[in-house]
Amino acid sequence: MAALVTRGVRDLLKRADSAKVPRRHRHKKKWAATEPKFPATRLALQNFDMTYSVQFGDLWPSIRVSLLSEQKYGALVNNFAAWDHVSAELKQLSARDFVNKAHFHGEPEPEGGQTAASSPASWACSPNLRCFTFTRGDVSRFPPARFGSLGVMDYYLMDAASLLPVLALGLQPGDTVLDLCAAPGGKTLALLQTGCCRTLAANDLSTSRTGRLQKVLHSYVPQDIRDSSRVRVTSWDGRKWGELEGDTYDRVLVDVPCTTDRHSLHEEENSIFQRSRKKERQMLPMLQVQLLAAGLLATKPGGHVVYSTCSLSHLQNEYVVQGTIELLANQYSIEVRVEDLTHFRKLFMDTFSFFPSCQVGELVIPNLMANFGPMYFCKMCRLT
């Protein structure tokens, strides 16, 4: 099965690859000692300037300056803490719960003076999540989280756009859930906050990153829940999950390794743009297709998958989704449908800036007035 996926991915990459340089125009690389020594952050910016100026056109200058500016954060309220008290404290900072605000505006209009409940069509989001942000243009910072009266941390600071894939997954009570690339743990924590997970498998290939995930769970989740059979943390190769646990899960989150665009512009350590990692960076789309394919194979027919990255690159976003759907149709006769998230985007457009021209899925683009993201996410339903 893994060989079929790998072969299919290679065929897709060959078709997407640009024409090869004729042999007569090739030249030998210079000795490493004579190559210019540019920091990885500068190489990342050069790469983005070349690719994103074409992809985004006139939007790129504003996205560029936003990426280089200070990022905004959201405070995900820990439902295992005294959440009502925590929410009240955050409101005193003049922050607002953007999830609740979207829920309120997403409710259908009442008829005949009667209060109407939201229908699944109008609010197909994972429940019980509370995340506070400052309003557009407000660059205030949240104070560091602290341990509360119940022995767990009060809230988790994260890029608020990172919550959108979890919201889009649309968890329902009793769901079996897989977080295929779970570290460092923010989205895993959010999945647990919904209270919907009958079981949650949180996986990441890197044992060091899994260690970070365990630290997050230890700080935010009570011990009885961590130690129960509801939560399982593993360090397996996510590409093989379709073989390990095929047709098993109701909901799967595939938040894949990517170029982590904002991080790459600000951090030298562990940057994917280091010269020693050039081959790894070039192979990212292949890895992403393999992981998404494994996530879809691990999903029950009728179940849902959300694919996400923190990259602006359509090669890592729409192309991966479309290529994987084609791969599963050809190699496994599995039909996958992309879900329309137009209404979802409208719910949250007061908080985030969305790119208007995604072929599939949605993309939050950084904006100085709402400097979250980038965050791409696409929801799929496995039909067969």
Side-chain angles (χ1 to χ4, degrees):
M1 185 179 291
L4 284 174
V5 173
T6 303
R7 191 182 313 122
V9 171
R10 285 173 179 162
D11 291 341
L12 287 168
L13 290 179
K14 285 179 182 178
R15 293 205 300 272
D17 196 14
S18 57
K20 302 295 183 183
V21 178
R23 183 178 295 274
R24 65 181 180 276
H25 294 317
R26 296 177 190 171
H27 59 86
K28 293 182 179 179
K29 291 181 67 177
K30 295 181 179 180
W31 290 101
T34 64
E35 288 193 43
K37 303 294 184 182
F38 293 131
T41 52
R42 181 174 172 185
L43 292 175
L45 185 57
Q46 289 177 345
N47 180 282
F48 296 160
D49 280 335
M50 285 189 296
T51 56
Y52 294 157
S53 60
V54 176
Q55 181 179 334
F56 293 101
D58 292 342
L59 281 176
W60 172 237
S62 65
I63 296 174
R64 184 185 195 270
V65 72
S66 301
L67 279 172
L68 293 170
S69 302
E70 184 176 353
Q71 179 181 15
K72 286 189 72 169
Y73 283 88
L76 174 66
V77 175
N78 187 6
N79 289 335
F80 300 116
W83 62 266
D84 50 349
H85 176 70
V86 176
S87 297
E89 287 189 338
L90 292 171
K91 288 178 182 177
Q92 290 179 357
L93 299 175
S94 299
R96 57 166 192 179
D97 180 357
F98 82 85
V99 182
N100 182 66
K101 180 176 182 293
H103 193 175
F104 176 77
H105 287 293
E107 290 180 347
E109 293 292 331
E111 296 181 5
Q114 299 296 318
T115 301
S118 341
S119 65
S122 68
W123 183 251
C125 294
S126 299
N128 303 322
L129 293 171
R130 303 172 180 87
C131 188
F132 283 78
T133 60
F134 294 106
T135 56
R136 279 179 173 261
D138 186 342
V139 294
S140 301
R141 297 182 182 182
F142 290 100
R146 63 182 186 275
F147 283 97
S149 58
L150 299 182
V152 291
M153 301 284 271
D154 284 341
Y155 54 81
Y156 182 84
L157 292 178
M158 64 192 303
D159 183 335
S162 296
L163 194 62
L164 295 178
V166 177
L167 286 164
L169 198 52
L171 266 65
Q172 300 295 318
D175 277 345
T176 54
V177 183
L178 168 63
D179 189 352
L180 191 59
C181 310
K187 295 182 182 67
T188 304
L189 178 61
L191 290 167
L192 283 173
Q193 299 296 314
T194 66
C196 291
C197 302
R198 178 157 57 91
T199 61
L200 172 62
N203 178 73
D204 201 282
L205 176 61
S206 167
T207 53
S208 63
R209 286 170 58 83
T210 304
R212 293 172 61 191
L213 168 62
Q214 293 277 25
K215 288 180 180 178
V216 169
L217 295 179
H218 183 82
S219 298
Y220 287 87
V221 181
Q223 183 174 354
D224 60 328
I225 296 178
R226 297 198 314 268
D227 295 344
S228 70
S229 58
R230 284 176 55 192
V231 183
R232 174 168 56 114
V233 178
T234 57
S235 293
W236 297 344
D237 186 344
R239 295 172 294 181
K240 299 179 180 178
W241 212 279
E243 302 171 36
L244 297 170
E245 293 184 332
D247 305 340
T248 299
Y249 294 94
D250 299 302
R251 299 286 192 276
V252 176
L253 178 62
V254 187
D255 184 49
V256 294
C258 65
T259 47
T260 56
D261 292 0
R262 189 185 289 271
H263 172 85
S264 295
L265 290 176
H266 293 274
E267 299 291 338
E268 288 290 323
E269 185 178 355
N270 201 33
S271 172
I272 193 71
F273 285 90
Q274 292 174 353
R275 291 189 182 278
S276 60
R277 300 183 69 185
K278 181 178 180 181
K279 184 67 174 178
E280 180 186 351
R281 187 174 74 249
Q282 292 172 336
M283 295 301 291
L284 271 176
M286 179 174 183
L287 172 62
Q288 291 160 343
V289 169
Q290 290 174 315
L291 288 168
L292 178 54
L296 285 161
L297 290 171
T299 307
K300 298 175 182 177
H304 290 86
V305 174
V306 168
Y307 173 82
S308 62
T309 78
C310 50
S311 171
L312 293 163
S313 170
H314 55 193
L315 296 177
Q316 299 175 61
N317 297 338
E318 297 104 309
Y319 287 12
V320 167
V321 170
Q322 293 168 329
T324 306
I325 291 174
E326 180 184 341
L327 172 68
L328 291 187
N330 294 337
Q331 298 287 351
Y332 300 97
S333 299
I334 290 176
E335 185 180 357
V336 177
R337 180 185 67 217
V338 173
E339 299 289 324
D340 183 11
L341 293 175
T342 302
H343 181 75
F344 187 90
R345 179 182 66 211
K346 290 179 180 177
L347 286 175
F348 297 105
M349 63 192 311
D350 285 349
T351 303
F352 305 102
S353 295
F354 289 89
F355 181 56
S357 304
C358 280
Q359 298 175 27
V360 291
E362 298 292 342
L363 175 64
V364 173
I365 55 175
N367 179 287
L368 283 178
M369 297 296 289
N371 206 0
F372 302 105
M375 179 57 56
Y376 174 81
F377 55 102
C378 181
K379 185 175 184 178
M380 289 153 274
C381 178
R382 177 177 166 179
L383 300 178
T384 59

